[in-house]
Amino acid sequence: MQNETVKYLQLLSEKYPTIQAASTAIINLSALLQLPKGTEHFLSDIHGEYEAFQHVVRNGAGSIWRKIEEMFGNTMSKSERRNLATLIYYPELKTPMMLQSVADRDEWSRLTLVRLAKFCRRLSAKYRRETVRRFLPPHVAEAIEELLYDQEGVEHKAAYYQSQIDMIVSTGSAQTFIISLAELIQRLAVERLHVIGDIYDRGPGAHLILDSLMEYHQVDIQWGNHDILWMGAAAGSEPCIANVIRTCLRYGNMETLENGYGVSLLPLASFALETYKDDPCELFIPKVSPDEKFTSQEIRLMAQMQKAMAIMQFKIESQVIKRRPHYQMDDRLLLDKIDYERGVVQLNGVDYPLLDTFFPTIDPKAPDALTPEEQQVMDKLRLSFVNSKKLQQHVRFLFSNGSLYLIHDGNLLYHGCIAMEENGEFKSFNVDGKSFKGKEFLDRVDRLARQGYFATDNPEVKQYGMDAMWFLWCAPQSPLFGKEKMATFERYFLADKVTHAEKRNAYYTLRDTEESATKILREFGLDPNTGRIINGHVPVKVSKGERPIKANGKLLVIDGGFSKAYQRETGIAGYTLIANSRGMLLAAHQPFHSTQKAVSEEVDIDSETEIIHTHPFRMCVRDTDRGREIQRKIDDLQALLHAYREGVIKEHSVC
C-alpha cells in the first residue's frame, strides 16, 4: 500500500476503529443502495410568497394527495380524504379544530392515529429505520417506531398495538402524536428539495422562506438574480444595497427588509423628506395592490425615498461601470448623457425628453459623485445590512448550500441562462486577455461571488467580488440576468416605451431547440441522451399557449409564476417538477388563496400533473449520485477491512 493510502485509512479507522465496526458499516451501506430512490422536488422563482411556498412543501406538490387517493380511495369518502390531507398539511392548526367539532373525540383520535400510522408505514418503506428515527421528536420516537413497524397479520400482536393506541388517547397525548405523525409524513414525502433561484423580492416573506429552508432536512439552491442581489447587499456592496432598497420601495414591500432583517430606513427617510420635500415624485409612486393598507402620507414618503435611492443607485452604478471597463456596460452611463438645462437625455444619438427634471443632488460637472449627505446615508445603510445577524445567517446558508449551477443525477440545474450568440455558439467574456464562456465562465463568477463575501482579509479582492455580484444582477452577459440591459432609468424617466425594451439573450430562443440543449449538456460533461436541463427565471406564459417542456423534452422551465404579480401574465401559479423512483412528473399549480382558507375550508392547491418521463426500471439509490458516493465509501471501508486483516492498520481499543 502507498503511504498516502495508509494515511487516509488510518484517518478512516478513527471513525471505524474495529473490524466489526467497518463490517457493520459496509452491511448497512450496501443495503441502503437497494432502497428505491427518494422523491425529489424542484421549485423555482418563489419570490417571497411564503404561504404558497409552505403549502407546496407541506403537500409535497400534490404527491401526498395522490398517495391518499391510492391508499384510501376505496375506503374513505372524498370529504374524509380531503379532511385527512388538510390534517397532514396543517396538523398544528387542523387537529384542535377537529377535536372541537367531532362528536366523539377519543374515537376520532384512534381512527386518525391508525390512518396516519398506516400512511406513514407506506412512505417509510423507502428509508432506513435510522433515518426515520432521526426525523422524529425524541419524546415520541420510541412509541411512533412501534406504530410504524406494526407487523400486520402477525398473531398476538393486534392487542399490543391496539393497547398502544388506546393509551395514547387515554393519556391525552393524541394531539401530540397526530402532529408528529403528520410532520413525519411531510418529511418522508420529499427526500430532497431543489430551489432553482429567486427566493427574494416581490412577496413579503423571503426571510420566512429562508428560515424554513434552513430547517429543511435536505436542500440545495441555485442562485437567482434576485438572490445574488441580496447576497451582494449582505456583503456590503453599495450598488446591490441601492437596488435592494429601491426595489422594495417600488413595490411597497418592506416586510423582509425592516421586520425580517431589521434594516433601518430612517436615514434614507430623513434625507428624502428634506431633499424632495417640495417634489411630488409622481414617477415613483409605489406599485402596491389595493389590499395594502398604506396611508397617502406613507405612499408619498415611499415615493420620495424611492427617488432618492434611485438617484444614488444610478450614481454608484456609474462608478462601478467606470471601475470595471471589461463589463462592457458603458451604454448604462446615462447621467452624463443628460442635458440638465434642456431636460433631455441622449440615447443612441436621439434626444428624449425627461418626465422628471428635478435633480437637486446631481452636479452636471460630476454627475456620478454622491453628495456628502448621500454618502452618509449609504454608509449608514451599509452598516445596517452588514450588521444584520439574521441576514448574514441566511446569506451564509445560501453560499454553503447554493451555487450558480448544480449537476445532479445526470441533470443540469440553473436559474437563468448560458449566454449564447445568435449562431448558437457560447458567448465569450474577456478578462485581462483571457476568454471565458460556458461552464468555465459560470465557475469563474461563482468563485468571484464567494470572494466578494468571504475575502474580508483582502479589500481589493473583496471589492472585485462584490462588483461581480452586482454584475450578476444586471449585466448583459450575466448568466442570471440574460438581457442586453436593465432599463431602470428609462422606465422611470422616459415616456417612449421603445426605450423600455430589454432584449433577451439569444439563449431564450435557442433553448427551444434540441441542438442547443444538447450542446449545453455536453458543455457540462453530461449525456444528452439521458440528461435534462432544469431551468427557471422566465415565467411560462401558459395563458398564451407556451409550454414548459422544450427541446424535445431535454429542457424543462419550471417558473410558472409563484409570485402573484406574474399570475395574470402566466395564467397559473407555478410549476413543480417531481422526480421519484419511477420517473418525472410536472405539476402545474393554480393560485393559492391563504393558509386560513386551506385549513378552515380544506381548499388545496389544484394541480395538474403530466408524466414527462418513465424510467425503464424502478430507480434505486445505487443508480443516483448519492448511490455512487455511498459505493465509494463502501470501497474505502473494504480497503480498511483488508488493511485490518492484513495487519497494516491495528484495531483501536474500544472502552
Side-chain angles (χ1 to χ4, degrees), residues 338-460:
I338 297 174
D339 185 324
Y340 291 91
E341 290 184 2
R342 294 170 54 217
V344 299
V345 63
Q346 188 175 91
L347 301 179
N348 300 317
V350 179
D351 284 347
Y352 292 93
L354 294 168
L355 297 172
D356 182 342
T357 58
F358 184 66
F359 302 119
T361 68
I362 295 180
D363 178 358
K365 295 179 181 178
D368 306 351
L370 294 175
T371 66
E373 294 78 14
E374 286 176 322
Q375 188 61 62
Q376 188 177 49
V377 170
M378 285 306 306
D379 290 342
K380 289 179 178 179
L381 290 172
R382 184 181 179 280
L383 280 174
S384 201
F385 272 85
V386 298
N387 290 327
S388 168
K389 184 177 179 181
K390 175 69 78 172
L391 175 60
Q392 297 303 324
Q393 286 175 340
H394 285 173
V395 167
R396 282 182 175 270
F397 173 77
L398 287 169
F399 274 112
S400 61
N401 290 271
S403 53
L404 278 178
Y405 69 90
L406 177 69
I407 294 171
H408 177 75
D409 286 347
N411 299 311
L412 176 61
L413 287 58
Y414 55 82
H415 176 75
C417 70
I418 309 299
M420 303 180 87
E421 303 283 5
E422 297 288 344
N423 63 5
E425 294 299 315
F426 294 121
K427 197 173 182 69
S428 62
F429 186 78
N430 297 309
V431 185
D432 298 330
K434 184 175 180 181
S435 177
F436 297 87
K437 60 183 178 180
K439 179 180 182 297
E440 189 180 21
F441 182 54
L442 266 66
D443 288 337
R444 174 179 170 80
V445 287
D446 185 296
R447 187 179 71 254
L448 289 177
R450 296 177 194 279
Q451 291 175 0
Y453 187 80
F454 291 106
T456 52
D457 59 339
N458 190 326
E460 187 177 338

Side-chain angles (χ1 to χ4, degrees), residues 420-522:
M420 303 180 87
E421 303 283 5
E422 297 288 344
N423 63 5
E425 294 299 315
F426 294 121
K427 197 173 182 69
S428 62
F429 186 78
N430 297 309
V431 185
D432 298 330
K434 184 175 180 181
S435 177
F436 297 87
K437 60 183 178 180
K439 179 180 182 297
E440 189 180 21
F441 182 54
L442 266 66
D443 288 337
R444 174 179 170 80
V445 287
D446 185 296
R447 187 179 71 254
L448 289 177
R450 296 177 194 279
Q451 291 175 0
Y453 187 80
F454 291 106
T456 52
D457 59 339
N458 190 326
E460 187 177 338
V461 170
K462 181 174 172 62
Q463 185 63 62
Y464 196 95
M466 288 195 297
D467 288 350
M469 284 194 265
W470 174 79
F471 170 93
L472 285 167
W473 158 246
C474 64
Q477 289 178 283
S478 163
L480 298 182
F481 181 54
K483 296 179 182 178
E484 66 177 3
K485 67 179 180 182
M486 187 173 284
T488 307
F489 180 93
E490 291 90 336
R491 290 174 183 270
Y492 276 129
F493 292 108
L494 303 184
D496 191 338
K497 292 190 181 300
V498 171
T499 66
H500 300 182
E502 298 174 339
K503 183 182 176 184
R504 291 179 188 168
N505 182 265
Y507 165 86
Y508 290 102
T509 301
L510 294 169
R511 72 177 180 177
D512 291 353
T513 68
E514 191 171 354
E515 180 185 358
S516 294
T518 296
K519 184 180 181 69
I520 292 169
L521 288 165
R522 284 182 174 149

